[in-house]
Amino acid sequence: MDEKKAVELAQAVSDNCIARRVRFVNRVITNLYDKALRPLDVKTNQAGILVWLFLHGEAGPGDISKALRMEKSTVSRNVSRMKNKGWIEIMSSDDRPTQAIKVTEDGRKLLQAAYVEWTKAQKKALDLLGEDGVDSVRRLYETLSSGRDPK
Amino acid sequence: MDEKKAVELAQAVSDNCIARRVRFVNRVITNLYDKALRPLDVKTNQAGILVWLFLHGEAGPGDISKALRMEKSTVSRNVSRMKNKGWIEIMSSDDRPTQAIKVTEDGRKLLQAAYVEWTKAQKKALDLLGEDGVDSVRRLYETLSSGRDPK
DNA sequence: GTTAATATGTTGTATATGCAACTCAAGAAG
DNA sequence: CTTCTTGAGTTGCATATACAACATATTAAC
């Protein structure tokens, strides 16, 4: 009868699992921003990529993948959707070692509109987490982003 | 020419956005656990639900939704997949105000096998985040889970 | 200069996630 | 007893995410 043993293991996982907590926090926080951005028909993720692209000039999917620690196929699809919406354009020069993506005028406009909504969500998140929480998030991010991608 | 203005806004978002960081952390951490669990053909999410169910006896989708702060349709689908894999069974008594879900014997076995893999991922996460990081995650989770679900 | 190895992207497949709309059943109002 | 209102779940739709397999192109080896 490993029933009791199983309960102990499950309890240990529940009590200590980092992923469980990180994922919970992610769901709650992402929801906040997604809801705020809904009127603009853009989600947190794509808005984030757009911001990154805007700040990094012409970059390729590979750069996004490395910077945001996102699988290349994930980036590929997101870029594709963003292109379809007209927020970015791809300057592939046929001879494409890599691609060069640029934020379009529409993309820039979206960015400015999104800023207003972002501010609201950001405020709610701050209210929920408190200054300390926000600092924690920042530190966690710094810790992980400084480490190499374990491929 | 709001070009400069737009850059400032984008920079402000990049510098402060909580969602961006939470999501980044989530991707990195979730990946760790998903990779560890792959041999068992289960992902972090379903393993988490299974653990929760195992510890809470017979509960319904609604309970899972509330506890894990997951949209009911998300739960619905995850439960469906888990049922197909034989890890849980649903005791719907025809007269169903709510359903009662129970972890099956196979589910329990999976749980025990997953524990071994979980330990590895957990160790990696601990190495990456450090004791302080893990504490931060725990506090963030406590903060959010104590708060009500803003529906 | 071929060949082997590597880097860059895309596409098939599957899970995770949430919103909107819908079905059904259980209660509350009358 | 009907009607109206909730509560619980399901399903259509769309995005987010990653792995595996594939197509190409670039570079390194000889």
Side-chain angles (χ1 to χ4, degrees):
Chain A
M1 181 58 132
D2 336 66
E3 182 64 23
K4 184 172 179 180
K5 178 81 165 291
V7 171
E8 282 170 24
L9 298 191
Q11 194 64 57
V13 171
S14 182
D15 286 348
N16 300 301
C17 187
I18 298 166
R20 179 188 138 232
R21 295 180 169 82
V22 165
R23 291 174 59 76
F24 182 100
V25 171
N26 179 57
R27 277 192 298 273
V28 175
I29 297 297
T30 294
N31 234 278
L32 232 50
Y33 290 75
D34 275 349
K35 280 194 166 76
L37 292 175
R38 186 142 338 123
L40 301 176
D41 196 36
V42 61
K43 299 189 74 177
T44 305
N45 182 53
Q46 289 186 21
I49 293 177
L50 204 57
V51 167
W52 190 91
L53 276 173
F54 194 64
L55 292 176
H56 288 78
E58 292 173 19
D63 302 309
I64 299 175
S65 176
K66 287 183 189 68
L68 307 190
R69 210 70 73 86
M70 223 176 259
E71 222 274 332
K72 57 183 180 172
S73 63
T74 301
V75 174
S76 181
R77 259 130 187 166
N78 276 316
V79 162
S80 165
R81 290 170 190 135
M82 293 169 73
K83 185 185 155 203
N84 288 338
K85 297 200 175 186
W87 298 334
I88 58 176
E89 59 183 326
I90 299 178
M91 277 99 76
S92 67
S93 29
D94 264 4
D95 59 311
R96 60 186 91 75
T98 56
Q99 299 175 343
I101 305 174
K102 207 180 64 172
V103 176
T104 63
E105 179 61 22
D106 276 2
R108 198 181 61 70
K109 282 178 186 164
L110 173 69
L111 231 35
Q112 291 194 290
Y115 181 77
V116 180
E117 303 306 320
W118 171 80
T119 302
K120 297 176 189 169
Q122 179 78 358
K123 173 157 176 36
K124 282 187 191 171
L126 181 55
D127 284 350
L128 280 181
L129 299 177
E131 296 279 0
D132 288 352
V134 173
D135 282 349
S136 290
V137 170
R138 191 180 293 272
R139 259 179 285 112
L140 287 168
Y141 170 78
E142 294 299 338
T143 301
L144 291 184
S145 63
S146 63
R148 250 189 334 81
D149 184 0
K151 173 56 177 325
Chain B
M1 182 57 134
D2 336 66
E3 182 64 24
K4 185 171 179 179
K5 179 79 166 292
V7 170
E8 282 170 24
L9 298 190
Q11 194 65 55
V13 172
S14 182
D15 287 348
N16 301 301
C17 187
I18 297 166
R20 181 188 137 231
R21 294 180 169 82
V22 165
R23 292 174 59 77
F24 182 100
V25 171
N26 179 59
R27 278 193 297 273
V28 174
I29 297 297
T30 294
N31 233 279
L32 231 51
Y33 290 76
D34 275 349
K35 279 194 166 76
L37 294 174
R38 187 142 338 122
L40 301 177
D41 196 36
V42 61
K43 298 189 75 178
T44 305
N45 183 54
Q46 288 186 22
I49 293 178
L50 203 57
V51 167
W52 189 90
L53 277 172
F54 194 64
L55 292 176
H56 289 78
E58 291 173 19
D63 303 310
I64 299 174
S65 176
K66 285 184 190 67
L68 307 190
R69 211 71 73 86
M70 222 176 261
E71 222 275 332
K72 57 183 180 174
S73 63
T74 300
V75 174
S76 181
R77 259 126 188 174
N78 276 316
V79 163
S80 166
R81 289 169 191 137
M82 293 169 72
K83 185 185 157 202
N84 288 338
K85 297 200 174 184
W87 299 333
I88 60 176
E89 59 184 328
I90 300 178
M91 276 100 75
S92 66
S93 28
D94 265 2
D95 60 312
R96 61 187 88 75
T98 57
Q99 300 174 342
I101 304 173
K102 206 181 66 172
V103 176
T104 63
E105 180 60 21
D106 276 1
R108 197 181 61 70
K109 283 179 186 163
L110 173 68
L111 230 35
Q112 290 193 291
Y115 180 78
V116 181
E117 303 306 318
W118 171 81
T119 303
K120 297 176 189 170
Q122 180 77 359
K123 174 158 175 34
K124 281 186 192 172
L126 181 56
D127 284 350
L128 279 181
L129 298 178
E131 297 279 1
D132 288 351
V134 173
D135 282 348
S136 290
V137 170
R138 190 181 293 271
R139 259 179 285 112
L140 287 168
Y141 170 77
E142 294 299 339
T143 301
L144 291 184
S145 64
S146 64
R148 250 189 333 79
D149 184 357
K151 177 50 180 328

